[in-house]
Amino acid sequence: MLVHAIPANAAYEFASDVRSGLTRGRQKELPSKYLYDDVGSALFEVISHLDEYGLTRADERLLRRHGPEIVDRLEGSIAVAELGSGSGKKTRWVLEALCRRQPTFYYPVEISHSALVMCERELRDIDSIAIVGFEREYLDGLLEVAAHRKRGQHLLVLFLGSTIGNFDRPAGLRFLSGIRRILEPGDWLLLGTDLEKSSSQLLRAYDDELGVTAAFNLNLLARINRELEADFVLSQFAHVARINPEARSVEMHLLSRRMQVVNIPAAELVVEFAEGETIWTESSHKYSAEEIPSMARASGFFCEAQWIDAQWPFAENLLRAA
Ligand code: AVJ
């Protein structure tokens, strides 16, 4: 696979994001994108197999069952860009349906190099596919893909797995508008959104019995130790999942079990933690099926169709650039 690799200032950006997130007055926080280094991506892959976490399987079920129908709704010649390809497993169903109709360029955009490599291994056997990976931030990668498009060709952007849920609602809308600005009228966005469910089901999904989600969350501190020479003692932090009813989200935090001081030399930083103080590491927003069409309209799309899983409330939404 051809991979366009990431620019070399990534380590510096990590250090400066850690610095600004941990010197915040009220709530310390770290951007959730940093959960996905090689270890974190592998742990998320395990999470997606857990009984308690039905999200990824619902997403895949919908794409497997409705892939041909989704592809039938797209007219003309199509190139596919995926934002955050992960393992690529669920994407197979859309790509196979499309490749039966036309030779297809598939451009996964991913910040995790190992996820890109996994994704290409998973999908390269599909007939008439050409895979070109972009190791980039989502919109940077999409801009490059759009710059390479051929005349008369439409783009299908895949944003699956409810990754949009990591943004709060206003930022989610801004992100959709950002995608829309790169697209042209008649292009498509297939958006996966996890739907609202009971608090107990959500807490189980984000604090599983095996402790895989806890390891996924704690790996962020381990990563800061590895890459920024920090001295976080992982056993002194606990994984916590919390419902935020106003935001309609589940939050992950890392809770300091006691008062402690942590050194992060490569970020030129010494951080104090009070006992019980948390670092907010991720939010996963949950949606109602009805709010997606209005989000679409507010960001320059029209919601053409929606498919909802019967076992785990999750929606696949097909949006057309207006
Ligand atoms: C990959 C962002 C969709 O928010 O549900 C899983 C990540 N975090 N368990 C999600 C995650 C904790 C996941 N997304």
Side-chain angles (χ1 to χ4, degrees), residues 87-89 92 117-126:
S87 75
K89 220 172 120 206
R92 163 176 296 277
V117 170
M118 258 193 338
C119 156
E120 116 96 357
R121 274 198 208 123
E122 177 75 28
L123 299 171
R124 66 180 163 204
D125 68 299
I126 298 176

Side-chain angles (χ1 to χ4, degrees), residues 76-79 95 97-105 127-128 153:
S77 160
I78 300 281
L95 292 174
L98 194 58
C99 285
R100 262 179 250 132
R101 175 172 103 192
Q102 54 154 80
T104 303
F105 272 94
D127 279 338
S128 340
Q153 195 172 49

Side-chain angles (χ1 to χ4, degrees), residues 43-204:
L43 286 168
F44 176 69
E45 170 67 23
V46 177
I47 291 172
S48 71
H49 293 281
L50 299 174
D51 266 346
E52 295 102 314
Y53 190 83
L55 187 155
T56 310
R57 292 186 301 278
D59 197 8
E60 189 181 353
R61 260 195 309 278
L62 287 167
L63 296 175
R64 190 176 53 212
R65 196 163 297 165
H66 304 292
E69 192 187 335
I70 292 169
V71 163
D72 277 347
R73 287 175 172 265
L74 319 173
E75 307 106 37
S77 160
I78 300 281
V80 181
E82 180 164 21
L83 310 182
S85 62
S87 75
K89 220 172 120 206
K90 60 195 169 197
T91 314
R92 163 176 296 277
W93 308 108
V94 175
L95 292 174
E96 279 186 348
L98 194 58
C99 285
R100 262 179 250 132
R101 175 172 103 192
Q102 54 154 80
T104 303
F105 272 94
Y106 169 57
Y107 305 100
V109 178
E110 235 323 317
I111 47 172
S112 161
H113 180 80
S114 65
L116 263 186
V117 170
M118 258 193 338
C119 156
E120 116 96 357
R121 274 198 208 123
E122 177 75 28
L123 299 171
R124 66 180 163 204
D125 68 299
I126 298 176
D127 279 338
S128 340
I129 197 169
I131 307 179
V132 180
F134 287 85
E135 197 175 322
R136 291 279 194 284
E137 299 279 336
Y138 295 150
L139 294 187
D140 294 344
L142 186 57
L143 259 176
E144 287 192 55
V145 170
H148 286 114
R149 80 152 80 206
K150 303 201 181 63
R151 290 220 313 133
Q153 195 172 49
H154 279 301
L155 279 180
L156 167 64
V157 177
L158 305 176
F159 195 34
L160 305 175
S162 205
T163 306
I164 187 162
N166 288 163
F167 296 113
D168 63 26
R169 283 179 159 73
L173 264 189
R174 283 197 299 277
F175 188 76
L176 292 180
S177 306
I179 295 176
R180 174 62 191 87
R181 272 195 293 279
I182 298 171
L183 298 183
E184 284 172 13
D187 287 343
W188 301 89
L189 171 62
L190 185 63
L191 178 69
T193 51
D194 200 25
L195 301 180
E196 290 172 305
K197 40 189 72 65
S198 75
S199 297
S200 60
Q201 193 176 4
L202 284 176
L203 289 173
R204 266 182 279 123

Side-chain angles (χ1 to χ4, degrees), residues 22 35 204:
L22 296 184
L35 290 163
R204 266 182 279 123

Side-chain angles (χ1 to χ4, degrees), residues 129-286:
I129 197 169
I131 307 179
V132 180
F134 287 85
E135 197 175 322
R136 291 279 194 284
E137 299 279 336
Y138 295 150
L139 294 187
D140 294 344
L142 186 57
L143 259 176
E144 287 192 55
V145 170
H148 286 114
R149 80 152 80 206
K150 303 201 181 63
R151 290 220 313 133
Q153 195 172 49
H154 279 301
L155 279 180
L156 167 64
V157 177
L158 305 176
F159 195 34
L160 305 175
S162 205
T163 306
I164 187 162
N166 288 163
F167 296 113
D168 63 26
R169 283 179 159 73
L173 264 189
R174 283 197 299 277
F175 188 76
L176 292 180
S177 306
I179 295 176
R180 174 62 191 87
R181 272 195 293 279
I182 298 171
L183 298 183
E184 284 172 13
D187 287 343
W188 301 89
L189 171 62
L190 185 63
L191 178 69
T193 51
D194 200 25
L195 301 180
E196 290 172 305
K197 40 189 72 65
S198 75
S199 297
S200 60
Q201 193 176 4
L202 284 176
L203 289 173
R204 266 182 279 123
Y206 288 86
D207 191 6
D208 63 275
E209 217 179 349
L210 250 186
V212 186
T213 307
F216 172 69
N217 197 7
L218 282 161
N219 173 56
L220 186 45
L221 301 183
R223 177 177 185 183
I224 297 173
N225 286 350
R226 287 192 292 271
E227 295 181 22
L228 303 177
E229 298 139 59
D231 59 0
F232 278 103
V233 178
L234 301 199
S235 60
Q236 294 304 336
F237 287 85
H239 165 70
V240 180
R242 282 185 194 160
I243 304 291
N244 182 333
E246 290 80 44
R248 290 186 280 152
S249 68
V250 196
E251 296 177 355
M252 296 203 309
H253 291 256
L254 291 161
L255 180 142
S256 174
R257 295 183 193 270
R258 59 166 162 112
M259 204 250 265
Q260 54 188 316
V261 177
V262 175
N263 297 291
I264 313 176
E268 293 173 344
L269 187 63
V270 177
V271 203
E272 288 179 33
F273 292 91
E275 181 177 341
E277 183 179 6
T278 70
I279 310 171
W280 171 35
T281 52
E282 185 180 55
S283 291
S284 298
H285 290 77
K286 306 302 168 188

